[in-house]
Amino acid sequence: MSARPRIGVLALQGDFREHIASLTELGADVVPLRRPEEIDALDGVVIPGGESSVMDKLSRTFGVAEPLSAAIRDGLPAYGTCAGMIMLSSRIAAGIPGQQTLGVLDTTVRRNAFGSQNDSFETDIPMPALGDAPVHAVFIRAPVVEEHGASVQVLGALADGQVVAVQQDNVLASAFHPEVAGEDRFHRRFLELVRSA
Ligand code: GLN
């Protein structure tokens, strides 16, 4: 790997531009990922927020889903936010009929877990693994992690215990959007995973 890790941001749908900006700011060489042949050159991949059912369909249509899933299983570091977390998860609750995922994170993730009354909200969440200051978390029609395997590390949960940030080896995921909150510690942690891979 060169001094600047090469990061692909899945750019089929969603807020990929915000992730490209955050990672560029941190010194990565960032490219939009749209085609399967682009995966091999990457040191890491980010899956943005957006609409997971649309991202799922597009990623299968473009032939990206299967090779991307295989690359992450093989150790390619990955970070997903919100819809990206759903894409990474092995199991979905409240997916649309036929919705699939990359299946690389041993979790069950419930889509739109906060319902229409609480569609979008912001809150500060203590996450000791990321440092002393709490994480300012922006939730937009967000999922939660309903259940996870023993090898999944919980990085953050809401005051009521709902799990919203996890890591399993090379896979990092948050139900909220650090990329829209000026919160760079998740992207830093992801780039550390990339450097140590
Ligand atoms: N509700 C969206 C989904 O199911 C996720 C929303 C988001 O990424 N902000 O994919």
Side-chain angles (χ1 to χ4, degrees):
M1 197 193 306
S2 67
R4 299 177 68 207
R6 188 173 170 87
I7 307 301
V9 178
L10 189 64
L12 300 173
Q13 192 270 336
D15 77 334
F16 53 88
R17 290 175 195 83
E18 286 78 358
H19 282 285
I20 290 173
S22 303
L23 291 159
T24 303
E25 180 94 353
L26 293 174
D29 174 15
V30 194
V31 292
L33 169 61
R34 295 195 177 92
R35 292 198 305 240
E37 58 270 26
E38 295 163 343
I39 296 170
D40 266 1
L42 302 179
D43 299 315
V45 66
V46 168
I47 307 184
E51 174 45 56
S52 58
S53 58
V54 177
M55 223 182 281
D56 164 45
K57 275 189 191 140
L58 291 174
S59 65
R60 286 189 278 135
T61 304
F62 283 80
V64 174
E66 211 173 284
L68 186 56
S69 172
I72 299 170
R73 276 172 208 282
D74 262 9
L76 182 72
Y79 174 38
T81 61
C82 202
M85 172 191 248
I86 299 169
M87 286 290 292
L88 292 170
S89 182
S90 293
R91 299 168 295 281
I92 329 179
I96 69 162
Q99 183 169 351
Q100 298 180 23
T101 67
L102 301 177
V104 293
L105 177 62
D106 184 12
T107 49
T108 303
V109 166
R110 175 169 294 276
R111 285 177 70 228
N112 303 329
F114 298 97
S116 54
Q117 290 307 305
N118 208 1
D119 211 49
S120 300
F121 61 98
E122 303 186 15
T123 187
D124 290 324
I125 307 177
M127 293 194 203
L130 280 98
D132 290 340
V135 169
H136 185 68
V138 177
F139 291 84
I140 305 165
R141 290 181 296 286
V144 294
V145 177
E146 275 196 344
E147 167 276 327
H148 60 83
S151 58
V152 174
Q153 179 192 2
V154 174
L155 297 177
L158 296 172
D160 64 3
Q162 296 197 88
V163 173
V164 291
V166 292
Q167 182 174 346
Q168 183 181 17
D169 303 319
N170 59 316
V171 181
L172 180 65
S174 62
F176 49 87
H177 293 271
E179 74 282 6
V180 304
E183 166 61 67
D184 67 5
R185 286 174 288 172
F186 275 88
H187 292 87
R188 285 182 189 279
R189 187 179 179 93
F190 165 67
L191 290 175
E192 277 164 27
L193 281 175
V194 169
R195 290 199 177 91
S196 63

